Amino acid sequence: EAVDGVKSGKYYAAIVIPEDFSESLTSVLTGTIEQPKFTYYLNEKKNAIAPKITDKGAGSIQQEISQEFIKTASSTLLKVFNE
């Protein structure tokens, strides 16, 4: 629905989080580290300024996810090594 909204011009952008996002986050517990990813869709035709604003928002979300992922993975690995 979000992607269709971007394509139709209803929305400036959409971030789609896949169903396996949480599974990717917890993959560190199984020993196969997989960084979770989301898909970002942008309607560049809607407004010339919108891509700059939405890119910053998507970049901030990606950065926060990466930081939390690294923090959680490091913490979990330290616990495993200590055990």
Side-chain angles (χ1 to χ4, degrees):
E1 185 178 327
V3 175
D4 288 340
V6 172
K7 288 179 181 178
S8 72
K10 184 176 180 180
Y11 307 126
Y12 290 113
I15 294 175
V16 177
I17 300 171
E19 288 183 28
D20 66 344
F21 188 82
S22 294
E23 185 178 311
S24 295
L25 279 174
T26 59
S27 67
V28 72
L29 300 173
T30 63
T32 57
I33 299 174
E34 179 182 328
Q35 186 167 3
K37 294 183 171 119
F38 60 82
T39 307
Y40 172 59
Y41 297 91
L42 176 63
N43 182 338
E44 295 179 4
K45 297 176 186 176
K46 180 112 174 135
N47 183 319
I49 298 171
K52 293 178 183 180
I53 296 169
T54 55
D55 282 348
K56 284 191 179 198
S60 294
I61 291 170
Q62 181 65 44
Q63 182 178 4
E64 189 169 332
I65 289 170
S66 293
Q67 287 173 346
E68 285 300 315
F69 175 77
I70 291 167
K71 181 179 157 187
T72 302
S74 298
S75 173
T76 303
L77 288 172
L78 283 174
K79 286 179 186 176
V80 169
F81 288 140
N82 286 332
E83 290 175 4

